[in-house]
Amino acid sequence: MTDSPLPRIPLDPKEQPILDKLQSIRTELELLKRDRSTYVKSQDVLKLYEQVIEQVMILNEIRVKKPLEQNKVDYMLDDCFQLISLAYLTVGKNHEPPAVYSYISTIKRLLDHLKEATFYSQKDLEAVDKNLQDCLRYVERGRDQYSPHLLTLLDARIKVCEEILAELKLNLSELTPELIPHWEKLVSILRSLCGCNTRSKFPHDEVKEYSEELTKVQEELKEYSIHAYETTGTTEEKLAEMVGKMQFANAHPEPAPAAKTLIGTLLRRNLLWVTLIKQKQGRIAPSFQDTYDKLLSIRNKLEKLTLTQAWSLRETDLWDYQRQLDRIDEARVDGNFIDPVGRPSEIYEQRTLLYLLRKSYALIYQLLLTSEPVSEALLPIYNQLTTLRKCLLEVQKLGGVSSPRELYPYSMKLNSIDNMRVDGKFMVGDEIPDGQGRVTQLLEECFELAYDLRNDAEDNSSVEVTPSGEKPEPLAT
């Protein structure tokens, strides 16, 4: 079991029964997600959701005079909401308020890390902004159906995300249209360099190419009188000094920095980082090797899931990865990773570990966003139809078929799926899983594609028999 980090705050004796009940609910949710012998059922998830809301109501009554208190109960409550949220995604209820909880939790982590990193692209912010608006829409749509306790919690978390997002937008507000491409390029290069630094074999040639790109960008920026921000000392000391100044600026926000300062600082950071990783070549200090290996393993497993998501992912599985990452993230002291004897990491280990941590959160976010609003029970059918649709579109793209007979395999498969419906519904036992509309729509699209391809093939056959503009020759008598 992957427990959340628990704060050392005394627990009110009145809250102990709530903690015990929430722990019991969390255990049930974990058993539900681990049971691969059957599909996660909507009624099981709804029952546990209602039990959690009941405990929230009791907790709110106890905390009337201390609404801001945070202790073990709140962390256990977060676990329960997170698992329920992922379970909602698993049963296909992606656009309902409980499902929003996992989106918002991950967005908050990403925004915090973007703020700490002090470099990000406008596309990053636009994508997060759009998804926040989607979450708001789902919450508004569910106001009449779900507990106000949940909705109040979601509203507060969305507001916090919006405030951080506004601050991040302000930091880039001074960039002019002609400078934005250069900023985006520098952000992309720095991220790519961090990725190179975590390969099993250090990619010298690739790093060299990025170094040459940086030199090219540096020359281009001279036209705007933008130069790399200068610092003193060794490469590692220069980078540490720069990062320290950025973190201080985050803690004491001021008006948006001038575009030249912003880009010059990021350029210098790139140049220093490429020099440092060439020196280190992926060698991590032994005292941080365990943390590195753990983060690397999580990153690799999540990347594999992005490739096989449609066939292998049960969204509740993401909770295990989330909690492992949360434990590592929250174990940092003043933002620094700490070794077993309490010493903070050097700048090279710090930035490398942060890259893996942030990349892993980003992959979880990607998996959440690409989760289909279809119940796990219907995913086998949905995945087959998705593959059929891709095949039919590819056939259409390549010019269609020469004979309707070539469509028989597709038609047979579509008819076999269509015959699985009972009174127009795809049933699993006696249940009608969520996602019926999406699966039915996909089935209809496949039938329509097959119908169009068949008509085109028949028309082409007719044209071949009777060429356009010519009359058939009379039969000999």
Side-chain angles (χ1 to χ4, degrees):
M1 183 179 295
T2 53
D3 289 329
S4 302
L6 301 180
R8 296 178 181 178
I9 299 174
L11 183 66
D12 186 331
K14 294 179 182 178
E15 295 185 11
Q16 186 62 50
I18 299 174
L19 178 63
D20 295 340
K21 180 62 177 176
L22 289 174
Q23 192 158 10
S24 173
I25 294 171
R26 189 185 71 170
T27 300
E28 286 190 61
L29 284 163
E30 286 191 299
L31 291 174
L32 192 67
K33 83 178 184 66
R34 289 176 181 170
D35 184 3
R36 296 284 179 169
S37 65
T38 184
Y39 299 114
V40 176
K41 299 179 178 62
S42 295
Q43 61 266 32
D44 293 337
V45 178
L46 289 170
K47 180 188 70 174
L48 293 168
Y49 161 76
E50 289 168 359
Q51 290 179 18
V52 171
I53 292 298
E54 182 182 347
Q55 297 306 307
V56 171
M57 294 170 66
I58 297 171
L59 182 63
N60 286 343
E61 290 176 3
I62 294 173
R63 291 188 180 176
V64 170
K65 296 182 180 180
K66 46 180 180 178
L68 300 180
E69 181 168 328
Q70 292 281 306
N71 58 37
K72 289 186 282 187
V73 173
D74 300 274
Y75 278 77
M76 192 62 66
L77 189 60
D78 180 65
D79 280 0
C80 291
F81 272 130
Q82 193 72 28
L83 276 165
I84 285 172
S85 184
L86 293 171
Y88 261 70
L89 296 176
T90 304
V91 299
K93 297 180 180 290
N94 298 39
H95 301 156
E96 299 190 26
V100 169
Y101 192 93
S102 57
Y103 291 127
I104 296 301
S105 297
T106 309
I107 287 175
K108 174 64 166 56
R109 290 276 180 184
L110 288 174
L111 289 173
D112 285 340
H113 280 285
L114 288 179
K115 182 177 177 180
E116 181 184 23
T118 67
F119 76 95
Y120 41 85
S121 71
Q122 290 190 329
K123 292 179 182 178
D124 293 334
L125 304 186
E126 288 168 4
V128 171
D129 197 359
K130 177 185 178 299
N131 293 323
L132 271 178
Q133 296 309 310
D134 289 341
C135 290
L136 268 173
R137 192 169 68 253
Y138 302 151
V139 171
E140 287 301 321
R141 197 164 62 191
R143 287 205 180 275
D144 296 334
Q145 302 172 10
Y146 287 89
S147 166
H149 299 283
L150 171 67
L151 298 173
T152 300
L153 174 63
L154 292 175
D155 286 337
R157 293 199 169 204
I158 290 174
K159 184 178 180 181
V160 169
C161 290
E162 288 178 330
E163 289 174 353
I164 300 174
L165 184 61
E167 184 180 334
L168 296 177
K169 285 180 179 179
L170 177 63
N171 288 337
L172 301 186
S173 62
E174 294 294 322
L175 289 175
T176 57
E178 64 271 15
L179 289 177
I180 288 175
H182 296 291
W183 171 264
E184 301 283 332
K185 183 68 173 177
L186 288 172
V187 169
S188 175
I189 291 175
L190 187 50
R191 286 178 176 169
S192 299
L193 285 171
C194 289
C196 290
N197 200 39
T198 60
R199 305 273 183 84
S200 56
K201 183 178 180 182
F202 188 76
H204 295 275
D205 292 340
E206 195 171 339
V207 171
K208 182 181 177 182
E209 289 176 9
Y210 287 126
S211 183
E212 291 170 354
E213 282 188 53
L214 279 173
T215 302
K216 183 179 177 181
V217 173
Q218 189 174 18
E219 290 299 314
E220 292 171 350
L221 288 173
K222 287 180 180 179
E223 297 178 16
Y224 303 95
S225 300
I226 296 176
H227 304 278
Y229 174 82
E230 293 295 337
T231 58
T232 58
T234 65
T235 300
E236 199 157 345
E237 287 170 346
K238 290 175 183 178
L239 196 56
E241 179 188 346
M242 182 175 296
V243 173
K245 288 182 178 180
M246 291 173 176
Q247 291 173 340
F248 179 82
N250 274 338
H252 303 81
E254 298 177 355
K260 289 185 178 181
T261 303
L262 195 67
I263 295 181
T265 301
L266 184 57
L267 172 62
R268 183 62 174 168
R269 188 172 175 183
N270 268 280
L271 294 170
L272 289 170
W273 185 245
V274 75
T275 302
L276 185 57
I277 67 172
K278 283 180 180 178
Q279 294 172 0
K280 300 286 187 177
Q281 297 187 19
R283 294 187 293 271
I284 298 292
S287 56
F288 290 96
Q289 190 67 47
D290 287 345
T291 304
Y292 175 82
D293 291 342
K294 185 179 293 186
L295 285 171
L296 187 66
S297 174
I298 293 171
R299 196 273 311 262
N300 291 344
K301 288 175 183 176
L302 288 169
E303 283 187 335
K304 183 178 179 181
L305 276 177
T306 62
L307 300 176
T308 62
Q309 176 179 15
W311 304 96
S312 61
L313 177 67
R314 174 181 273 188
E315 283 79 359
T316 47
D317 293 341
L318 294 176
W319 188 77
D320 293 326
Y321 297 111
Q322 286 175 326
R323 280 299 172 253
Q324 290 179 65
L325 293 172
D326 291 349
R327 287 174 69 87
I328 294 172
D329 196 10
E330 293 169 15
R332 293 194 287 152
V333 177
D334 296 328
N336 295 310
F337 290 93
I338 303 298
D339 70 8
V341 296
R343 293 172 300 188
S345 58
E346 298 293 337
I347 192 67
Y348 175 75
E349 283 74 22
Q350 175 74 9
R351 307 313 294 176
T352 302
L353 295 174
L354 277 176
Y355 167 77
L356 288 172
L357 183 64
R358 291 164 182 165
K359 181 66 175 178
S360 297
Y361 276 124
L363 288 169
I364 288 176
Y365 184 52
Q366 178 185 338
L367 288 165
L368 291 174
L369 290 180
T370 53
S371 171
E372 294 290 350
V374 175
S375 170
E376 179 189 28
L378 291 183
L379 273 181
I381 298 172
Y382 180 82
N383 290 335
Q384 290 177 57
L385 287 172
T386 301
T387 303
L388 273 170
R389 182 176 177 276
K390 287 179 180 177
C391 291
L392 289 168
L393 285 171
E394 193 64 26
V395 170
Q396 190 178 60
K397 181 181 176 181
L398 295 174
V401 294
S402 58
S403 166
R405 186 180 297 275
E406 294 178 35
L407 292 171
Y408 283 179
Y410 302 106
S411 298
M412 289 175 63
K413 184 61 179 177
L414 286 172
N415 286 325
S416 69
I417 292 176
D418 191 28
N419 290 335
M420 294 169 65
R421 294 197 284 180
V422 178
D423 296 329
K425 303 290 184 183
F426 289 97
M427 306 286 290
V428 176
D430 297 329
E431 296 184 10
I432 304 176
D434 285 280
Q436 297 287 329
R438 185 73 188 94
V439 176
T440 300
Q441 179 188 1
L442 196 53
L443 178 62
E444 290 172 353
E445 286 179 23
C446 290
F447 270 122
E448 187 174 340
L449 283 168
Y451 179 76
D452 290 342
L453 286 167
R454 184 180 297 106
N455 283 345
D456 290 344
E458 290 173 350
D459 290 344
N460 291 336
S461 298
S462 176
V463 169
E464 289 176 6
V465 172
T466 308
S468 178
E470 297 183 11
K471 292 183 180 180
E473 294 183 4
L475 295 173
T477 57

